[in-house]
Amino acid sequence: MSVIAAKEMYHHTTLLSSLHLNREVKVECWYPAPGDIREEYRLILVNDGQLLHDAGFPSTLSTYHSEEANVPVFCVGIHAGKERLMEYGTINEKDYLGRGAKARLYARFVMEELLPWIRMQYRIPAFREKIFAGFSLGGLSALDIVLNHPHEFSCAAVFSGSLWWRNLALDHEHYADENNRIIHNYVKSLPYFPWMRFFFECGTEDEAADRNNNGVIDSIDDTLDLIKILKEKGYGDEQVRYLEIEGGKHDAETWGAAWPVFLEW
């Protein structure tokens, strides 16, 4: 384990040997006060943790703790492996190409290996709340894990999420947005969880695709459609935050610009 003491944040990097994934998982942890055993930490898990440095996350988190935070954040960046397209996705259903086949195993790694390790390694028996965030397909994975474990998590943060994840190909004769987007269908099947919150970010230049030719790119359409379903479930404006970045792209720079807004929210 390597240890780096930044100006106001402490940073640990380690490799966890996962039985569920049959590989080593690189994990980076940032927190403001080593050895201070406090239950008021907010835990933020982040998929695609290898992108956090490119997104300028360490300095953003340090600024947050030194200037704004009334609740300290304990952040864990989970690096993606070579089978990212299989480990990320949705637990209960693969996409039309069979991707996400190991999503259930990845969720078991998070719940049964990573979370217990964090508690034991840092001697934190409990957290004030647990949040799961992610970028692109990692955002879909984070949201899906939160929704499948609503009594463990209280918030999902999705940056440019792959909410298009579908069980039929787009050119299939029976494909329809209202029937074949996997995460949308799953949210429709769930009850309302009054403690749950959701943060979504999209950039206006996230992509160029516009499958329904309505002048709005698909990533924004898919996100707004999911927010509509959440609102119909009973989630209010204080529980759902949508950030649209003009000129924002599908990249770490854009997601880095969204991080301060998310942390403040």
Side-chain angles (χ1 to χ4, degrees), residues 40-45 71 111 115 119 127-133 142-158 192-200 230 235 238-241 262 265:
E40 63 264 28
Y41 277 123
R42 279 195 177 99
L43 176 66
I44 303 179
L45 305 180
V71 178
M111 303 304 298
L115 288 178
R119 293 189 185 100
F127 290 90
R128 175 168 174 165
E129 67 172 329
K130 300 184 192 71
I131 300 162
F132 210 153
L143 175 62
D144 185 65
I145 290 175
V146 167
L147 291 172
N148 274 274
H149 302 88
H151 299 293
E152 188 77 34
F153 295 95
S154 60
C155 181
V158 182
Y192 168 67
F193 304 118
W195 58 88
M196 194 70 72
R197 294 176 295 143
F198 304 90
F199 180 93
F200 298 96
L230 290 169
Y235 294 98
E238 72 282 358
Q239 293 172 280
V240 182
R241 175 75 158 88
F262 164 61
W265 180 76

Side-chain angles (χ1 to χ4, degrees), residues 192-245:
Y192 168 67
F193 304 118
W195 58 88
M196 194 70 72
R197 294 176 295 143
F198 304 90
F199 180 93
F200 298 96
E201 176 275 331
C202 287
T204 59
E205 297 180 21
D206 240 317
E207 61 177 331
D210 178 12
R211 62 179 177 266
N212 58 3
N213 299 309
N214 68 345
V216 179
I217 59 173
D218 290 345
S219 60
I220 292 178
D221 262 345
D222 292 332
T223 301
L224 294 179
D225 286 348
L226 185 59
I227 289 174
K228 181 180 178 181
I229 295 171
L230 290 169
K231 293 292 184 69
E232 290 172 350
K233 285 286 179 180
Y235 294 98
D237 291 339
E238 72 282 358
Q239 293 172 280
V240 182
R241 175 75 158 88
Y242 174 62
L243 173 65
E244 187 171 301
I245 298 180

Side-chain angles (χ1 to χ4, degrees), residues 112-131:
E112 299 174 14
E113 296 177 323
L114 178 61
L115 288 178
W117 176 82
I118 294 170
R119 293 189 185 100
M120 293 183 66
Q121 177 68 30
Y122 296 97
R123 299 179 182 179
I124 303 174
F127 290 90
R128 175 168 174 165
E129 67 172 329
K130 300 184 192 71
I131 300 162

Side-chain angles (χ1 to χ4, degrees), residues 3-144:
V3 181
I4 302 173
K7 182 178 180 182
E8 297 193 18
M9 297 298 299
Y10 287 79
H11 173 221
H12 289 183
T13 300
T14 193
L15 292 175
L16 294 185
S17 182
S18 170
L19 293 176
H20 291 306
L21 298 179
N22 193 31
R23 68 175 179 91
E24 288 191 323
V25 182
K26 186 175 181 179
V27 172
E28 294 189 70
C29 300
W30 287 268
Y31 55 94
D36 189 3
I37 304 173
R38 297 182 293 180
E39 293 188 7
E40 63 264 28
Y41 277 123
R42 279 195 177 99
L43 176 66
I44 303 179
L45 305 180
V46 187
N47 278 336
D48 279 321
Q50 72 278 2
L51 299 175
L52 287 174
H53 290 276
D54 291 339
F57 176 81
S59 61
T60 298
L61 192 60
S62 179
T63 301
Y64 167 78
H65 278 113
S66 63
E67 296 181 358
E68 301 177 26
N70 56 9
V71 178
V73 169
F74 193 110
C75 181
V76 179
I78 312 163
H79 288 227
K82 295 180 179 179
E83 291 192 282
R84 178 178 181 272
L85 291 176
M86 289 296 171
E87 293 178 357
Y88 289 173
T90 47
I91 293 171
N92 299 306
E93 189 173 1
K94 294 175 286 189
D95 91 328
Y96 69 101
L97 291 177
R99 293 172 294 193
K102 294 187 176 182
R104 184 172 296 278
L105 292 174
Y106 181 72
R108 292 191 66 184
F109 158 73
V110 170
M111 303 304 298
E112 299 174 14
E113 296 177 323
L114 178 61
L115 288 178
W117 176 82
I118 294 170
R119 293 189 185 100
M120 293 183 66
Q121 177 68 30
Y122 296 97
R123 299 179 182 179
I124 303 174
F127 290 90
R128 175 168 174 165
E129 67 172 329
K130 300 184 192 71
I131 300 162
F132 210 153
F135 313 111
S136 191
L137 184 56
L140 173 69
S141 168
L143 175 62
D144 185 65

